[in-house]
C-alpha cells in the first residue's frame, strides 16, 4: 500500500488550496444568502445535484462558484479520489488498527470480487446473508419455536453503540414494511431500568434474544446478556433453553461459545466492518426478522446505489463528496461548531442519534494519521430531532440565537402511509424552514407587516443560516440504505481532508477502563478505602453512605 498519505496527513494547512479557501471565506463572509440569490438566482439550479435517487440542494449554503471550485481542489489535493480507490480496493487504510475498511463489501452483489488476504469477502458476506435469511424466515413463519414449542413473538436485540443504534434506527424506518405480529425491542444501557422496562411485558417462552456485539466483551452488552439468560432460565428452568432463545451476532466465536450460545446460531462479521458501519451486516439481523429478507436486500441495494455513485461519479457531482465539502466549509472556513440534522420523516426519528455515532466516533479526533496534533477543527457536534416537532422546541435558537448552526433537512416527496392532508403540510414546512433560516426577515419587512416600532428588533430574523436539503421520492428500505451510505461516504471524505483515521475509536477506551476499576468500589458490601482521584473517592464515599 502506498502510505504517503500518512506523512501528508498533518499538512492540510500547508496547502495553497487551504490558504485560498481561508482568504476567500474572509472575502465573502459578509455576503448574505439573500445577496447570493439576488446576484445569481440560477444557484438554485447549479447547486442542486441528483444521484442514487437523492436530490441534494446546497443553494442555501454560504458558498459561491469560487468557494466550490476551491473545495473540490482541496478534496483532490488531499487525495480523496486515491483514498476512495484504496478503500474499495481493500487496502488497509485503517492504519492504527491495521485493517481494511470494507463496509462497501456488505452490499456488493453476489458474484462481485473483493479480495482480501486471498479471500473473496463478497462470497463470505453472501454466505452469512443467506444464513440470516433462512433464520429470519424460520422465526417469521413460526418454524423456529421457543424451548416450550411456542412461536417467537418478541425479538430483543442486546447491544450498544454500533450494535444498537443502527438496528434501532432501522427498525423504526422499516416499520411500515415489517411483520407487526413480532414485537422488536432494544436493550443497550447497563442501567437495569433499560432491561427491566424492555422485558417487563414479555414472556421468556416467546422471546428471542439477539446478543449483538462485535467483540462480545462489551461490559454493557455482556451484563445485559447475562441478565437476559437469568431472566429466561428463571421461567424455562433448563440450560438447554438457551439454544432456542439466544442467538449471537459477533466476530468472536470463542466468547460466544463460552456464553453458551450454540455457534450454529451465531452470525458472523469481520474486523473490516467498523461497529458504526455495521447495520447492514449480521448486526442487522433484528431488522431482517422485522421486515423480511427481501426488504433487507432492498435496503442493501439502496446502499449499493450510493456506493456506486460515490465510487464512479466525478467529485463535482458526487453527493457524499459535496456533502462532506459543505461540512468542511462550514466547520473550517466559516467556523461553525455544530450541525443539526433534521429528518422530516417520523420514520427517521432515530436517524440523528445514529448519525451522532457515525460522524462523531469516526471524525471526533485531534490526532492526524502521522501522530501529530491537528491544527484545524475536525468533527462538529451533530444532533437533531425530527421535524416538524423540532420546530416547536429548539428552532427559536436556530432562527434567532447568537450562534449560527448549519442544518441538513431530509425528507421524502411521499410518506409511507397515505394519510390524507398531511404530506403537503410536511413538505411545506421543510421549504418554509429552509427559506426562513436562510433568508430571514428584515426590519423593513417586519415594519411593512404593521409591527409597532418597539417590537421590530425582536421580530426581525437575520437569516443567513446555511442549509442543505436532501429529498428522496419515498421512505422505505432502499431509501434508508441510500441516506446511510451517503453519510458514511461524507464522513469518509471529511476524514481524508482532515487527515485523521475515521475508522478507529481509541477515545472511548479510557472511560471504559476506569469504569472497570471503579466498579468494585461500588459493588454491594465494598468497604476498602477507594484509591482514585480525590473527587472520585469523595463520590464513592458519598454513594456508599447513602
Ligand atoms: O465503545 C465504543 C464501541 O467500541 C463502538 O465503536 C461499538 O459500536 C460499540 O462500542 C459496541 O461494541 P461491540 O459491538 O464490540 O459490543
Amino acid at each position: 500500500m502506498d502510505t504517503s498519505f500518512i506523512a501528508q496527513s498533518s499538512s492540510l494547512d500547508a496547502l495553497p488550496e487551504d490558504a485560498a479557501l481561508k482568504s476567500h471565506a474572509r472575502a465573502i463572509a459578509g455576503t448574505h444568502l439573500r445577496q447570493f440569490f439576488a446576484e445569481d438566482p440560477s444557484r438554485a439550479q447549479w447547486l442542486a445535484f441528483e444521484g442514487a435517487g437523492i436530490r441534494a440542494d446546497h443553494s442555501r449554503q454560504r458558498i459561491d462558484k469560487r468557494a466550490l471550485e476551491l473545495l473540490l481542489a482541496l478534496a483532490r489535493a488531499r487525495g480523496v479520489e486515491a483514498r476512495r480507490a484504496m478503500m474499495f480496493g481493500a487496502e488497509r487504510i485503517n492504519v492504527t488498527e491495521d485493517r481494511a475498511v470494507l463496509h462497501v463489501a456488505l452490499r456488493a452483489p453476489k458474484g462481485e470480487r473483493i479480495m482480501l488476504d486471498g479471500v473473496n469477502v463478497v462470497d463470505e458476506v453472501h454466505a452469512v446473508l443467506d444464513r440470516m435469511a433462512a433464520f429470519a424466515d424460520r422465526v417469521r413463519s413460526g418454524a423456529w419455536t421457543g424451548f416450550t414449542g411456542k412461536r417467537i413473538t418478541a425479538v430483543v436485540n442486546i447491544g450498544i453503540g454500533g450494535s444498537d443504534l443502527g438496528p434501532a434506527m432501522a427498525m423504526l424506518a422499516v416499520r411500515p414494511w415489517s411483520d407487526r405480529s413480532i414485537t422488536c425491542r432494544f436493550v443497550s444501557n447497563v442501567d437495569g431500568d433499560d432491561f427491566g422496562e424492555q422485558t417487563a411485558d414479555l414472556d421468556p417462552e416467546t422471546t428471542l434474544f439477539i446478543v449483538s456485539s462485535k467483540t462480545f466483551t462489551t461490559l454493557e452488552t455482556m451484563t445485559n446478556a447475562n441478565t437476559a439468560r437469568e431472566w429466561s432460565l428463571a421461567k424455562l428452568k433448563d440450560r438447554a433453553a438457551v439454544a432456542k432463545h439466544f442467538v449471537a451476532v459477533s466476530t468472536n466465536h470463542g466468547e460466544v461459545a463460552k456464553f453458551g450460545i450454540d455457534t450454529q446460531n451465531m452470525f458472523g462479521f469481520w474486523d473490516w466492518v467498523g461497529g458504526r458501519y455495521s447495520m447492514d451486516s449480521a448486526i442487522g439481523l433484528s431488522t431482517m426478522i422485522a421486515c423480511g429478507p427481501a426488504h433487507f436486500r432492498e435496503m442493501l441495494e439502496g446502499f449499493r446505489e450510493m456506493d456506486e455513485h460515490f465510487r464512479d461519479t466525478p467529485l463535482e457531482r458526487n453527493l457524499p463528496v459535496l456533502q462532506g465539502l459543505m461540512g468542511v466549509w462550514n466547520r473550517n472556513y466559516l467556523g461553525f461548531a455544530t450541525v443539526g440534522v433534521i429528518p422530516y420523516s417520523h420514520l427517521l426519528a432515530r436517524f440523528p442519534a445514529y448519525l451522532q455515532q457515525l460522524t462523531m466516533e469516526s471524525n471526533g479526533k485531534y490526532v492526524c494519521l502521522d501522530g501529530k496534533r491537528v491544527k484545524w477543527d475536525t468533527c462538529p457536534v451533530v444532533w437533531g430531532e425530527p421535524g416538524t416537532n423540532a420546530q416547536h422546541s429548539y428552532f427559536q435558537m436556530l432562527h434567532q440565537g447568537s450562534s449560527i448552526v448549519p442544518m441538513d433537512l431530509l425528507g421524502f416527496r411521499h410518506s409511507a402511509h397515505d394519510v390524507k392532508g398531511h404530506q403537503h403540510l410536511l413538505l411545506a414546512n421543510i421549504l418554509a424552514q429552509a427559506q426562513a433560516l436562510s433568508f430571514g426577515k428584515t426590519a423593513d419587512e417586519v415594519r411593512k407587516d404593521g409591527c409597532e416600532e418597539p417590537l421590530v428588533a425582536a421580530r426581525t430574523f437575520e437569516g443567513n443560516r446555511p442549509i442543505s436539503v436532501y429529498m428522496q421520492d419515498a421512505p422505505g428500505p432502499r431509501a434508508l440504505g441510500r441516506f446511510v451510505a451517503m453519510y458514511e461516504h461524507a464522513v469518509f471524505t471529511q476524514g481524508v481532508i482532515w487527515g485523521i483515521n475515521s475508522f478507529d475509536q481509541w477515545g472511548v477506551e479510557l472511560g471504559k477502563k476506569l469504569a472497570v476499576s471503579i466498579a468494585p468500589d461500588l459493588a454491594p458490601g465494598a468497604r476498602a478505602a477507594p484509591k482514585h482521584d480525590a473527587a472520585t473517592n469523595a463520590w464513592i464515599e458519598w454513594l456508599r453512605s447513602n
Side-chain angles (χ1 to χ4, degrees):
M1 176 171 82
D2 173 6
T3 55
S4 54
F5 67 90
I6 299 175
Q8 286 153 14
S9 61
S10 60
S11 59
L12 166 62
D13 58 348
L15 290 173
E17 290 81 359
D18 178 61
L21 276 159
K22 282 176 181 146
S23 121
H24 189 63
R26 276 193 298 275
I28 63 170
T31 310
H32 196 286
L33 278 163
R34 282 170 174 259
Q35 197 181 330
F36 280 129
F37 273 91
E39 284 167 9
D40 176 17
S42 74
R43 62 187 282 120
Q45 280 77 46
W46 65 262
L47 277 168
F49 305 87
E50 286 190 39
I54 300 181
R55 181 175 197 267
D57 170 16
H58 300 299
S59 64
R60 297 177 194 275
Q61 290 290 343
R62 287 161 53 168
I63 56 167
D64 59 4
K65 284 207 165 114
R66 175 86 184 128
L68 186 55
E69 273 164 25
L70 288 171
L71 285 165
L72 290 162
L74 179 75
R76 292 211 159 87
R78 292 298 273 168
V80 167
E81 288 152 311
R83 200 84 68 76
R84 178 181 63 182
M86 291 170 95
M87 176 171 76
F88 279 94
E91 304 222 28
R92 295 179 187 276
I93 58 169
N94 175 358
V95 289
T96 56
E97 296 180 317
D98 191 25
R99 288 175 183 168
V101 174
L102 274 180
H103 42 276
V104 291
L106 298 171
R107 47 267 191 160
K110 251 186 193 152
E112 183 149 317
R113 273 166 73 82
I114 302 180
M115 300 301 292
L116 180 67
D117 299 331
V119 174
N120 182 10
V121 298
V122 180
D123 290 344
E124 297 197 335
V125 164
H126 282 276
V128 174
L129 276 173
D130 290 345
R131 285 186 56 232
M132 286 167 65
F135 179 73
D137 278 338
R138 290 186 71 199
V139 173
R140 287 163 65 83
S141 69
W144 177 282
T145 57
F147 189 59
T148 56
K150 289 193 180 163
R151 182 168 186 251
I152 296 297
T153 55
V155 173
V156 181
N157 184 80
I158 298 180
I160 197 164
S163 301
D164 166 72
L165 288 161
M169 178 274 288
M171 186 62 66
L172 195 58
V174 301
R175 193 96 180 92
W177 298 271
S178 294
D179 179 346
R180 290 173 196 274
S181 69
I182 301 178
T183 300
C184 290
R185 299 270 169 84
F186 293 84
V187 174
S188 54
N189 203 322
V190 76
D191 179 353
D193 285 343
D194 194 9
F195 183 87
E197 275 304 312
Q198 296 307 324
T199 54
D201 56 350
L202 301 184
D203 177 355
E205 284 188 80
T206 55
T207 301
L208 173 75
F209 289 96
I210 303 175
V211 185
S212 296
S213 174
K214 183 174 168 179
T215 54
F216 228 72
T217 56
T218 304
L219 173 95
E220 292 90 337
T221 301
M222 296 327 296
T223 305
N224 279 319
N226 286 323
T227 301
R229 191 174 45 191
E230 275 170 34
W231 179 85
S232 294
L233 295 184
K235 178 154 185 199
L236 300 170
K237 308 287 184 214
D238 189 335
R239 259 194 92 81
V242 172
K244 299 297 284 178
H245 291 270
F246 285 80
V247 298
V249 178
S250 186
T251 57
N252 191 341
H253 272 82
E255 287 299 321
V256 169
K258 237 196 252 168
F259 181 86
I261 294 177
D262 183 350
T263 48
Q264 301 275 11
N265 300 330
M266 169 179 168
F267 301 88
F269 60 118
W270 306 269
D271 70 357
W272 41 262
V273 184
R276 53 196 175 273
Y277 298 87
S278 67
M279 60 168 279
D280 48 337
S281 71
I283 288 290
L285 183 60
S286 56
T287 317
M288 194 190 263
I289 293 174
C291 72
H295 285 125
F296 193 86
R297 288 186 197 277
E298 211 178 298
M299 180 183 82
L300 296 181
E301 283 167 18
F303 272 99
R304 172 71 179 182
E305 286 171 25
M306 185 53 76
D307 291 344
E308 288 180 355
H309 169 86
F310 175 60
R311 187 191 60 195
D312 302 335
T313 310
L315 303 192
E316 284 73 8
R317 288 181 285 111
N318 193 309
L319 263 60
V321 170
L322 291 166
Q323 189 197 20
L325 291 177
M326 297 306 139
V328 166
W329 174 252
N330 285 326
R331 181 76 178 119
N332 300 103
Y333 301 103
L334 300 184
F336 302 135
T338 88
V339 57
V341 179
I342 313 297
Y344 278 79
S345 165
H346 218 78
L347 299 177
L348 293 185
R350 298 272 300 159
F351 195 62
Y354 167 75
L355 271 191
Q356 284 179 324
Q357 187 197 13
L358 179 66
T359 57
M360 293 159 79
E361 195 168 72
S362 295
N363 285 344
K365 288 158 193 174
Y366 56 67
V367 176
C368 292
L369 289 163
D370 63 1
K372 296 194 181 127
R373 201 183 200 289
V374 293
K375 287 173 260 136
W376 44 87
D377 286 318
T378 60
C379 191
V381 175
V382 177
W383 52 276
E385 276 285 306
T388 60
N389 296 13
Q391 291 171 202
H392 297 271
S393 63
Y394 50 72
F395 265 51
Q396 164 64 40
M397 179 272 180
L398 303 178
H399 285 288
Q400 289 187 315
S402 56
S403 304
I404 290 187
V405 179
M407 315 272 285
D408 286 355
L409 311 182
L410 314 180
F412 299 103
R413 199 197 300 252
H414 304 285
S415 58
H417 292 272
D418 190 16
V419 183
K420 217 168 144 200
H422 286 242
Q423 187 63 11
H424 75 287
L425 296 177
L426 182 67
L427 290 169
N429 272 279
I430 304 185
L431 299 188
Q433 290 301 327
Q435 193 183 342
L437 287 159
S438 57
F439 284 8
K441 188 167 185 177
T442 64
D444 281 347
E445 287 168 338
V446 175
R447 283 190 194 100
K448 257 194 216 140
D449 281 353
C451 179
E452 306 269 327
E453 197 55 34
L455 281 182
V456 168
R459 300 186 68 165
T460 300
F461 292 69
E462 275 173 8
N464 216 18
R465 273 67 178 151
I467 304 293
S468 287
V469 180
Y470 297 95
M471 195 78 74
Q472 295 198 56
D473 200 48
R478 182 182 300 276
L480 176 66
R482 290 168 177 163
F483 268 150
V484 173
M486 180 177 80
Y487 277 93
E488 284 178 348
H489 299 318
V491 163
F492 173 88
T493 302
Q494 294 181 337
V496 173
I497 291 174
W498 288 327
I500 55 182
N501 182 0
S502 303
F503 302 105
D504 62 13
Q505 55 283 317
W506 302 107
V508 296
E509 294 304 318
L510 178 60
K512 284 189 196 175
K513 284 216 173 79
L514 290 176
V516 170
S517 78
I518 292 169
D521 287 320
L522 291 172
R527 298 266 184 280
K531 294 195 178 76
H532 307 279
D533 67 278
T536 307
N537 291 343
W539 271 114
I540 290 171
E541 300 293 4
W542 186 87
L543 286 163
R544 284 177 179 174
S545 69
N546 285 277

